[in-house]
Amino acid sequence: MKQTTVLILLIGLHVFTFAQQTRFISDPQKDLKQAKDYYQKEQYSLAYPILKDLQLRQRDAEKTSEALDYQEVRYYTTACALRQNEEAAVQLAKDFIDLEDNTARVQMMSFNLAEYYYRKQDFAAATALYENVSIDNLSNEEIADMKFHLGYSYFTAKEYDKAKPLFDAIRQLPKDKNYLDANYYYGFIAFNDRKYNDALTAFRVVENDKNYKNVVPYYIANIYYTQNQKEKALTYAEERLKSGGQQYDTELRHLLGHAYFEKQEFKKAVPYLEAFVTKSDKVSREDLYELSYSYYKASNWTKAIEGFKQLGGKDDSLAQNSMYLLGDSYLKTNQKANARTAFLVCASNSSNAKQREISMFNYAKLSYELGYTDVSLTEFKKFLDTYANSEYANEARELLVNVLANTNNYQEALRMIEAMPASSQNARRQYAKILYGRATELANDGMLVSANELLTKAEADPNNMSYRPYIQFWKGEIAYRLNKIDDAIRYYFEYLKSGAVNG
């Protein structure tokens, strides 16, 4: 009985072993076909275990048999692993590329390895492989993928001239999955190349796409503005800002602020420029000037002053103009001392001759008004020496006459006032004072006749009321010294009647 049982078991084991051997011999092609079918459908997780099992089941002697193409199994197993981003497959792929002699499969493996590197964002490694892949053994979809991915790899390396035609090729395939992305990147490169019509065409394709609707409006608005479609740029930019969520929100506000600044609509420019300057990490001097000038034109003197103060320190026209407007802003707020300093800085810059002229005059005038007498005396003389024919020359002369009179420099004051036209009424109001002062100097020097002539002029001047009693006194004094007693009595009597003497 025991022998019978053992015999049955042995027969069963032999049948089972034979069945397994038969399955191994007869099933590999079917399994490989199934795995390849999964692979083509991109069901890599289903294909991969079958392929791995096929590799394990093959014996060394069978790797070269006709039952199964070992190289084909190896190719699909490695390619499938790469598609699943298995790092261990990288070296297997490199070995396959280096060692196998099947050109078509080597090319396809190179493509798969390039795609792996692309997904891992190792664009340099991907580029090196893509550049050596022939499209002869790739499907149309794979060719399109490779063109876009190689284009993007070039793009990341800023090799835009190489990337552009590849993106353009995908732009001709509206049904391709990378169609929208290709249009965006092509538009970006065209914009960078100043090919604005090409850029606009590409950007309009993606302007409402969820991935780009908050990006491309900045470029489109810029293109309109650059093409001198400024009203269209303004309308478009404002509409996109209202929709919210713009990635280049600050830059769009900058564009709008600058556009309104150029249109001299300064009140509209202010909020946009203000937002740009406030939000930006780094602001150019030109941008700060536009904001400050807009404040100035909107009569916001305080903020204009705050901005212009930051724009000095350079020897260029922007710095000079800023100091000029800073000085004027200080005058508008009655800060004469600060205005005087601003005009001094402006006058030291020769970028704008007219502003230098005006600032030099204002500095002298403010020095006079603030009591810097010696400075004003020097500055008025310097101004008149430099700008003798200036529209401010007459006022400068009048003010200089006042300075000379107030510093008892009557001789020079008299010379200047008598050389001035009769229309200089402000200076003429000082005429009697100057005549009187110079006459007393001459009288004290013993030049009585010359002194008397000046006093006679002073006596006849209609603006002599403040000095008339003293003129009469000195007329009497000189007449007495010249032994003209009757004239002396008359002038002394007039002096006493004036009430200028108390007691």
Side-chain angles (χ1 to χ4, degrees), residues 157-324:
K158 298 185 178 180
E159 295 185 64
Y160 299 139
D161 57 327
K162 293 181 179 179
K164 190 176 181 181
L166 294 169
F167 288 136
D168 193 36
I170 305 305
R171 290 178 63 236
Q172 314 311 313
L173 305 172
K175 294 183 179 180
D176 189 86
K177 59 179 176 291
N178 295 310
Y179 174 72
L180 293 175
D181 295 327
N183 271 279
Y184 170 74
Y185 291 114
Y186 179 87
F188 180 92
I189 295 171
F191 182 88
N192 192 60
D193 290 340
R194 300 184 180 181
K195 303 292 185 182
Y196 295 120
N197 288 331
D198 291 345
L200 184 60
T201 300
F203 283 140
R204 293 305 296 264
V205 172
V206 298
E207 68 176 325
N208 294 315
D209 178 74
K210 64 179 181 179
N211 294 320
Y212 298 110
K213 66 180 181 180
N214 295 327
V215 179
V216 299
Y218 167 70
Y219 295 106
I220 293 175
N222 255 290
I223 291 169
Y224 287 145
Y225 195 83
T226 302
Q227 293 180 331
N228 208 31
Q229 301 182 65
K230 295 187 177 181
E231 290 300 325
K232 194 171 184 178
L234 282 170
T235 301
Y236 183 84
E238 288 186 321
E239 286 177 353
R240 290 295 174 157
L241 276 178
K242 286 177 184 176
S243 68
Q246 288 299 311
Q247 182 173 325
Y248 295 110
D249 180 278
T250 302
E251 290 79 2
L252 278 171
R253 293 180 190 280
H254 182 209
L255 184 147
L256 285 165
H258 179 69
Y260 280 122
F261 178 87
E262 285 197 333
K263 291 182 68 180
Q264 298 187 22
E265 295 184 32
F266 300 109
K267 287 187 178 180
K268 288 185 177 180
V270 163
Y272 291 118
L273 291 173
E274 197 171 51
F276 170 74
V277 170
T278 301
K279 294 178 181 179
S280 297
D281 295 330
K282 188 175 182 180
V283 179
S284 72
R285 294 170 66 239
E286 289 76 14
D287 290 328
L288 183 56
Y289 174 82
E290 286 190 3
L291 175 58
S292 303
Y293 188 82
S294 297
Y295 282 139
Y296 174 84
K297 296 300 287 187
S299 300
N300 191 335
W301 313 119
T302 301
K303 287 193 173 182
I305 288 169
E306 182 182 336
F308 288 135
K309 280 168 64 177
Q310 301 176 56
L311 295 171
K314 299 277 187 179
D315 191 25
D316 57 20
S317 59
L318 189 146
Q320 184 184 34
N321 200 45
S322 298
M323 292 303 98
Y324 179 78

Side-chain angles (χ1 to χ4, degrees), residues 82-95:
L82 287 173
R83 296 289 178 112
Q84 295 184 109
N85 297 321
E86 289 192 16
E87 187 176 353
V90 172
Q91 189 57 51
L92 294 175
K94 289 180 178 179
D95 292 342

Side-chain angles (χ1 to χ4, degrees), residues 128-145:
L129 286 160
Y130 282 134
E131 289 178 336
N132 291 308
V133 171
S134 170
I135 64 173
D136 294 343
N137 299 293
L138 301 180
S139 67
N140 289 337
E141 183 178 359
E142 287 172 333
I143 292 170
D145 284 348

Side-chain angles (χ1 to χ4, degrees), residues 432-451:
K433 174 185 177 180
I434 294 167
L435 287 167
Y436 169 75
R438 180 56 181 157
T440 58
E441 290 177 341
L442 292 172
N444 289 329
D445 290 339
M447 301 173 69
L448 299 179
V449 174
S450 296

Side-chain angles (χ1 to χ4, degrees), residues 381-436:
K381 287 182 177 180
K382 185 168 85 173
F383 176 79
L384 290 168
D385 286 342
T386 308
Y387 302 104
N389 298 317
S390 169
E391 62 183 295
Y392 303 99
N394 285 337
E395 186 178 357
R397 290 187 186 96
E398 291 175 353
L399 293 171
L400 178 55
V401 166
N402 289 344
V403 175
L404 292 169
N406 292 338
T407 55
N408 300 327
N409 194 339
Y410 298 114
Q411 183 177 6
E412 188 173 357
L414 183 60
R415 178 186 61 77
M416 285 195 66
I417 200 169
E418 289 187 338
M420 293 171 69
S423 59
S424 300
Q425 294 299 317
N426 291 331
R428 286 289 169 179
R429 292 189 185 95
Q430 295 280 353
Y431 192 41
K433 174 185 177 180
I434 294 167
L435 287 167
Y436 169 75

